[in-house]
Amino acid sequence: MRILVAGGAGFLGSHLSERLLGEGHEVLVVDNFYTGQRENVAHLLDNKKFELIRHDVTFPLFVEVDAICNLACPASPVHYQRNPVQTIKTSILGSINLLGLARRTNARILQASTSEIYGDPVISPQEEEYWGNVNTIGVRSCYDEGKRAAETLFSDYRRQYDVDTKIARIFNTYGPRMALDDGRVVSNFIVQALLGKPITMYGDGSQTRSFCYVDDLITGLISLLMKEKNVSGPINIGNPGEFTILELAQLVIELTNSNSSIEFRTLPSDDPKQRKPDISKAKSDLQWEPRVQLREGLIQAIPYFEARIASKT
């Protein structure tokens, strides 16, 4: 297949592109490099089945493809709150443009949605039928509501135009190629610990997250992309292992052999208190579940951050 990966120079997009090439597909990456990095895909440039185009998905794109993966949107609060209007435009206009392309080319299309559509959930674990508890006017709304609107668009294009759509709800993912200034909790803690700086803990650390290693996440996305048309989602893709943020900090300090202290700060507005996916649908519809547990995944990820820090000094 010839597969378009929007946002393919980002953390997840680059891993997805690499895996798709490894499975024999042609890959066309489009990225405006707002958060994506050319270096994430530099090792793919010599592959004759790989193509890279600088393009912003808020503008139409005219190419011929068999499948589309829409990962085009900044995903960390630091990045998406820097330009919130552009963030929500990327989710909504980008979805409209890529869905239009899918309709014209009769391509299947996968939306990388997010656990953030559940907002600050009042049930746990979160199952796909849960509608969420989201602040529509908060500082995180540009991302949360943008992704929710994108899910609506994907569902309506499926109903109205019979487009073969897939929706994956991604829970916290970590691993190599995260930016040092990514702003998400795993990369923050690892970088701070390696530099011997205090670990910044927002709130009292009792809030929970479920962390999925990138290799597992990519396997889940590809499994959904390749499924027959009647499997459309939304489907949660994440690791149901639940940890408090304080437990994560302590584990990072242990694995990096760091002397960092933990520094408590005020919890940001609308920060969810709990995240844990119900992956029953992923197990039944995709025959997928994560294999890499948090300790093992951190052991694999930490050397990448060590190398990146060393290259900056």
Side-chain angles (χ1 to χ4, degrees), residues 9-11 14 36-44 177 304 308:
F11 162 48
S14 62
Q37 300 291 325
R38 185 180 176 86
E39 65 190 74
N40 286 340
V41 292
H43 64 296
L44 305 177
R177 298 188 200 140
Y304 166 81
R308 284 300 306 276

Side-chain angles (χ1 to χ4, degrees), residues 73-133:
C73 187
S76 82
V78 169
H79 293 145
Y80 67 64
Q81 291 175 24
R82 185 180 300 157
N83 192 339
V85 172
Q86 186 63 29
T87 295
I88 197 165
K89 285 172 66 176
T90 299
S91 285
I92 296 176
L93 296 179
S95 292
I96 290 170
N97 288 329
L98 293 175
L99 284 162
L101 175 62
R103 183 185 176 200
R104 181 181 67 80
T105 59
N106 196 32
R108 65 179 53 175
I109 179 169
L110 180 144
Q111 166 67 3
S113 191
T114 173
S115 61
E116 295 298 322
I117 67 98
Y118 297 120
D120 189 5
V122 296
I123 66 166
S124 187
Q126 292 84 57
E127 57 186 22
E128 291 86 350
E129 288 73 22
Y130 177 51
W131 290 357
N133 177 37

Side-chain angles (χ1 to χ4, degrees), residues 207-254:
Q207 67 270 38
T208 69
R209 295 292 184 271
S210 298
F211 302 102
C212 187
Y213 190 65
V214 63
D215 289 355
D216 283 336
L217 187 281
I218 297 304
T219 299
L221 292 183
I222 294 176
S223 297
L224 177 55
L225 178 67
M226 298 302 170
K227 277 293 180 181
E228 58 271 16
K229 190 173 183 178
N230 67 314
V231 179
S232 60
I235 294 182
N236 291 334
I237 306 290
N239 192 318
E242 187 177 18
F243 297 85
T244 68
I245 300 302
L246 184 58
E247 288 173 330
L248 172 67
Q250 292 166 339
L251 183 56
V252 167
I253 289 171
E254 174 197 336

